Amino acid sequence: MTKKLLKLGLCTGGGDCPGLNAAIRAVVTTAAKSHGIQVVGIKSGLTGLLHPESVKNLTVPDVDGILELGGTILGTNNQGSPFRDPIQAATTLAAIQKNWRRLKLDGMIVIGGDGTQFMAKRLSASGLNIIGIPKTIDNDLMGTDQTIGFATAVDIATEAACRLRTSAAAHDRIMILEVMGRDGGHIALATALASGADAVLIPEIPFASDVLLTHVKQRQKKGRNHYLVVVAEGCTTVGGEQLYSAANGNAKVLGGMGQYVASVLHAGTGRDVRVAVLGHIQRGGSPNADDRILAAMMGVRATQMAIDGDYGSIVGVRGGKLTTIPYKTLTHKRRAIRLDDPRIVAAEAMNICLGR
């Protein structure tokens, strides 16, 4: 009796990040080795299931050479969930289920962050066979210690911070680097430690402007006339609110806190203060070794789960070991930095100011 060919869908959703192509490659090459899995790429995220004509077969030659490439060969979409409108959601879900049957999919691997994985959770709850691979430079998905894209984003931010520090020293300036991270300070804190920044402001610890000013002045009294602050885009002052730079459709875009901190420090010290906003540079380009390795491990694990029929979970990593996060346990809470995190302890032990 001929064994049935397993047919898996594969997509990348949400914002792009380094390592997506590495994960695609891991899934396709693992599937090819099993000699019993066909992988079809769904373009432009989960919304691509509404347009099945955009699906293409993925073979080993298709993914040869994409390991180090940034972006995603499947394209992506972060324009919001089609399930947000409860009136339209049922119709959308029915259309996806219809196209799923039309494509004769046995399962699907979804590479994405919290927004994409919540869409995937909805599909999983409807009875479709879904497995998730977590990616987001923000590193804030609950249940996993690290997501694809984070390590490279930290490398990029660290290089920028180190360049700003040398410029600050040359001109006796205060330099501020604003980095991404949404409501979490994972990128900012890691960057501050890796670059030797003087201060880091994160959403988990609202900062007091007078504390930051005092720290700057103390450094100056000791003869250190340059100063580097890493600012997470979602941080706030004590009792304050997050700042937004723009609106993208129905979503507001965080931004402006770096400039706010600059105005505070200039007013309080009279010194020259410059701001660099790293923005989407953190998302682009080739993944570093850590992200390539993580993508490989997660891609292989997800494919093996599909072979075993173990659907309904996201692949995660805890304590250096791969684990699974059941979709039914996924909540809208994002993973914040604990206040007893060793990185916070290390930062404050080395006199890096966190504004408290």
Side-chain angles (χ1 to χ4, degrees):
M1 183 176 179
T2 303
K3 185 177 179 181
K4 180 183 181 295
L5 179 70
L6 189 66
K7 188 176 184 181
L8 294 178
L10 176 65
C11 76
T12 52
D16 67 305
C17 73
L20 293 177
N21 283 323
I24 292 169
R25 176 180 177 272
V27 171
V28 174
T29 53
T30 305
K33 186 177 180 181
S34 74
H35 302 293
I37 302 178
Q38 177 187 4
V39 180
V40 294
I42 312 294
K43 296 185 178 180
S44 300
L46 282 170
T47 54
L49 283 172
L50 297 172
H51 309 284
E53 67 278 359
S54 64
V55 170
K56 66 166 291 185
N57 288 330
L58 292 176
T59 64
V60 172
D62 292 320
V63 300
D64 186 28
I66 71 169
L67 174 64
E68 67 273 20
L69 295 183
T72 163
I73 62 170
L74 294 178
T76 188
N77 186 329
N78 65 347
Q79 298 304 308
S81 170
F83 299 128
R84 284 183 179 174
D85 183 351
I87 298 176
Q88 187 65 27
T91 302
T92 299
L93 182 57
I96 288 175
Q97 290 172 326
K98 179 180 178 181
N99 289 329
W100 180 287
R101 292 189 296 269
R102 176 182 167 187
L103 292 169
K104 298 180 180 179
L105 296 180
D106 295 295
M108 185 162 176
I109 296 174
V110 178
I111 308 169
D114 63 338
T116 300
Q117 296 303 346
F118 271 102
M119 292 168 60
K121 177 182 179 179
R122 179 70 180 267
L123 297 182
S124 179
S126 76
L128 300 183
N129 292 330
I130 307 290
I131 296 169
I133 295 178
K135 68 85 209 166
T136 169
I137 65 168
D138 305 320
N139 205 33
D140 58 358
L141 190 69
M142 293 294 289
T144 182
D145 294 341
Q146 190 159 328
T147 55
I148 295 170
F150 171 68
T152 306
V154 171
D155 274 1
I156 294 168
T158 297
E159 181 180 358
C162 289
R163 290 175 181 273
L164 289 175
R165 191 182 63 221
T166 60
S167 180
H171 292 273
D172 287 340
R173 266 184 194 139
I174 297 173
M175 286 286 193
I176 296 173
L177 176 66
E178 182 182 308
V179 299
M180 287 181 166
R182 294 191 300 195
D183 301 318
H186 298 280
I187 295 175
L189 182 57
T191 298
L193 285 169
S195 66
D198 300 288
V200 57
L201 306 178
I202 59 176
E204 292 84 352
I205 302 177
F207 69 94
S209 297
D210 59 334
V211 172
L212 182 60
L213 276 167
T214 298
H215 194 260
V216 173
K217 292 174 181 178
Q218 286 174 343
R219 288 290 178 99
Q220 191 169 21
K221 284 181 181 179
K222 294 178 180 179
R224 197 168 190 277
N225 293 321
H226 61 280
Y227 197 88
L228 173 64
V229 190
V230 180
V231 176
E233 63 182 357
C235 72
T236 66
T237 58
V238 176
E241 297 180 348
Q242 292 178 326
L243 299 181
Y244 297 91
S245 61
N248 183 14
N250 294 324
K252 293 187 291 184
V253 179
L254 284 166
M257 186 53 73
Q259 194 60 53
Y260 172 80
V261 173
S263 65
V264 168
L265 293 182
H266 176 70
T269 65
R271 295 174 59 188
D272 187 11
V273 186
R274 302 295 174 91
V275 182
V277 180
L278 203 50
H280 285 78
I281 292 173
Q282 294 156 96
R283 291 190 177 279
S286 180
N288 68 7
D290 284 343
D291 273 325
R292 295 182 198 187
I293 294 167
L294 183 63
M297 293 192 301
M298 287 184 167
V300 169
R301 178 64 174 269
T303 309
Q304 188 59 54
M305 287 168 64
I307 294 171
D308 296 338
D310 185 12
Y311 296 102
S313 294
I314 302 171
V315 179
V317 59
R318 285 199 206 103
K321 296 182 179 180
L322 290 177
T323 184
T324 55
I325 311 159
Y327 271 116
K328 63 183 179 181
T329 67
L330 195 64
T331 69
H332 282 285
K333 185 177 181 181
R334 290 174 178 160
R335 191 174 71 89
I337 300 173
R338 292 171 54 95
L339 297 186
D340 61 352
D341 189 291
R343 294 169 298 175
I344 289 179
V345 174
E348 294 189 319
M350 293 189 295
N351 198 27
I352 297 175
C353 179
L354 277 86
R356 63 173 177 175

